[in-house]
Amino acid sequence: MRNRHLPPGFGEQTSSKNNSLLRTSGPDEKQLNGTLALGVRSETGSRNDSFGNGTSSKTNSLPHTSGPDEKQLNGALVPGFRNESGSRNDSSQSARMSVDKLLGGLLAPGFDERSCSSRYQSFLFRKTSLYKPSSYLLSKLRRYEDLHKRCGPHTKSYSKAFKRLKSSHGSGGGCKYLVWVPVNGLGNRMMSLVSTFLYALLTDRVLLVELGNDMLRLFCEPFPNSSWILPKHFPIEGQFHSADLRHDRGYGNLLKSGIINESTESLPSYVFLNLDHTKYDLDRLSFHCNQNPSLLRKVPWLFLISDQYFVPSFFLTSTFKQEMQRLFPEKETVFHHLARYLFHPSNEVWGLITRFYQAYLADADERIGLQIRIFNTTTSPVEIVLDQLLKCTQKENLLPRVDTKHPLATSTKTRRSKVILVTSLYTTFYENISNTYWAKPTVTGEVIRVYQPSHEESQRFGDNMHNIKAWAEMYLLSLSDVLVTSAWSTFGYVAQGLGGRKPWILYKADKGHTPNPSCVRDLSMEPCFHFPRNHDCKTKTKINVGSLFPYLKYCEDLNWGVKLVSEHQKL
Ligand code: GDP
């Protein structure tokens, strides 16, 4: 029986229920003596996903003594690392190593390598980025690192500022802080964290982060000789998660009620910026219209809550526009550079990433990442999304067709292998695709392998391990050569931005219909800012924010959102 989920050319399916082989540990290439079991390798059992449901930090952190050092990693010595150049010991190789290891100068040298292996090993897993950070960005980062070291937690400057927080008024000199407070899913958080860091860079503030209980063990410290973690038992942390308290102390509210204005002599010691996409517009309006920026600059402690990638708004205000252009002459590189600078997987997460990569992805000729995010299974049923995914990958030639007429591969042109990494909360997509390539050979003769690291079934909050898996999967996706993502999903945005990939985006299925066309090539690797202002700040009249500048366009996946694009296409 023809599988109703498959478009023509995908062939008949063996039902997943009868395919017990697929869901258990299968024979490997050697055991099968090169026949490769109809081109499909099995994933580990569906109940225990590849990351293990109970993976604990204790059992999975990389032992500090056993990490590979640079010499071992040079060239092809460690299986699974990319080896792009030929000879191992020539001087150009070591020059590339030292430039790439620091990601073109983004990273400062001198961190302890063993406590955060990913920081200086990530370049071994990626092709060299096509994008070089500007020298101005590099000097800004180095200056920021000095500031953070001088003002970070446990310094004299921090103690002074901490005392001022407790006093009711805060103006005066000294270090100023920007505290990031998390809200929403991990992808959303990473969007807002990058934006917040950029705001700190632009305003000479020190970024501190409140990681809560479910973001511990995800990232390494990004700044040398200091910490970005807000010290525990912070006096006003009770206000972080109370919308009412935050709004009372919100920037917009304080301006509106006249508690602060340009002639106010004593400013409050702290102010909240509520920039998340729900409920409270006043702060967003005041912030994005850059009202009284000099006043805001004087407040020593700012607390910022957002789930948005609000970076494009800095190009929309005269205060920051020039600086943004100097920092990022290539506009679409903001997230790519800042995320690679900030987000280094902890050793625990790096263990998950590298083990998975080496076991399943490393030796393929091409890695294809499929990120399938369904926000609402009623309006976007899984079967519809599957149909859409298959139509997209066929039409765009991202996955080879299967040969429905011959049971064995007829083409001997190539024995190339492609590996498909599926990330999703559900198993349906993985099962269907892997069954397809088990049931029939590809018309190209290519060997296809399919893997899915986990299937969490639902989004969870307050669960550290759940976020660890999500982070590991975003990172693995970012190592793909070809990427298909889902509309509106910040999970996908992280992968495309980190990896420097311009993905094909699956349109959001709505009202139970397969969208036509099913997908579209993204305009750039940058994330989409879902809620930009759409009016002129002075005249309050509506504007087309996506047509103000050639480098700012309405997003393909969300027609009222905007994103930065390049004026010189490279991808
Ligand atoms: P968005 O909602 O797609 O914009 O992405 P977010 O990352 O902000 O929130 C979705 C959350 O759901 C993730 O952070 C994960 O916790 C979970 N999730 C969604 N899709 C996946 C997936 O493919 N793999 C894993 N491990 N978790 C996922």
Side-chain angles (χ1 to χ4, degrees), residues 185-188 373 375 423-425 454 459 466 470 473 489-491:
L186 186 61
N188 283 92
R373 173 82 166 114
F375 291 95
T423 70
S424 170
L425 290 171
S454 78
Q459 177 174 358
H466 179 73
E473 286 175 39
S489 176
T490 55
F491 192 107

Side-chain angles (χ1 to χ4, degrees), residues 108-122:
F111 277 94
D112 171 36
E113 303 203 9
R114 284 188 295 183
S115 60
C116 178
S117 297
S118 68
R119 188 182 334 260
Y120 297 132
Q121 284 181 13
S122 69

